[in-house]
Amino acid sequence: MARSSSGIVAGLTAAAVAVVGFLGYQASATAPAHPPKVAAQEPAPAASPAAKQDPSKPVAVPEGSGTGVRVVYSVGQKRVWLVGDPAQPTKSFTVMPSTVHPKPGSYAVGSRSGSVTGSDGVPIEHVVRFASTEGVAVGFSARTDGALPEPDPNKKTGGIRMTRADGDAMWAFATIASKVVVVP
């Protein structure tokens, strides 16, 4: 009797594997070759001059932000500009500021980290640090989960968060000693 029940179990297992294999093949045969990308949900834009502009038009680099190749960060507009040489188009995007803000002025990128845990305890990538305020390191970064939540107002954090795609652009643009200009 033991031999026949083990044969039945083996037969049922083989049949189940065959059915799962067939269903997997059927699903892959009907799946699109390039599934649509799901964009990370971004926070609603704040009521600022930049938010009222036509999204198809580029947002102008703030006056008084200097000249030459630089990163410009506007605390009030919650926006960053990557200003390259005149032949390159300027890239601009919104960010989620931290609870600790650097004073307006000119800084240089002092350190970078590919991936670490942020001061808020979440995994982040493409960290570009340029200032220290109130004993807190301030820099640009992207959460690896793609989220852009408001920072906890009860914690002193210096991470200026951006989407992962914008974090990739920042990482490529702002190397050690790159100029960062902070404007109100």
Side-chain angles (χ1 to χ4, degrees), residues 19-112:
V19 167
V20 168
F22 174 74
L23 292 174
Y25 167 76
Q26 202 174 28
S28 68
T30 59
H34 301 287
K37 292 183 181 180
V38 178
Q41 187 173 357
E42 294 196 28
S48 69
K52 295 176 186 171
Q53 287 191 341
D54 179 352
S56 66
K57 294 183 180 176
V59 178
V61 178
E63 290 185 28
S65 67
T67 60
V69 176
R70 66 201 183 281
V71 174
V72 178
Y73 168 48
S74 171
V75 177
Q77 291 187 48
K78 298 181 182 181
R79 181 169 285 279
V80 166
W81 292 260
L82 305 179
V83 183
D85 64 50
Q88 296 175 316
T90 297
K91 179 170 177 57
S92 180
F93 47 88
T94 58
V95 295
M96 179 57 67
S98 59
T99 58
V100 176
H101 307 293
K103 292 181 180 176
S106 185
Y107 301 86
V109 173
S111 69
R112 295 170 18 121

Side-chain angles (χ1 to χ4, degrees), residues 5-18:
S5 65
S6 65
I8 292 172
V9 170
L12 289 173
T13 302
V17 169

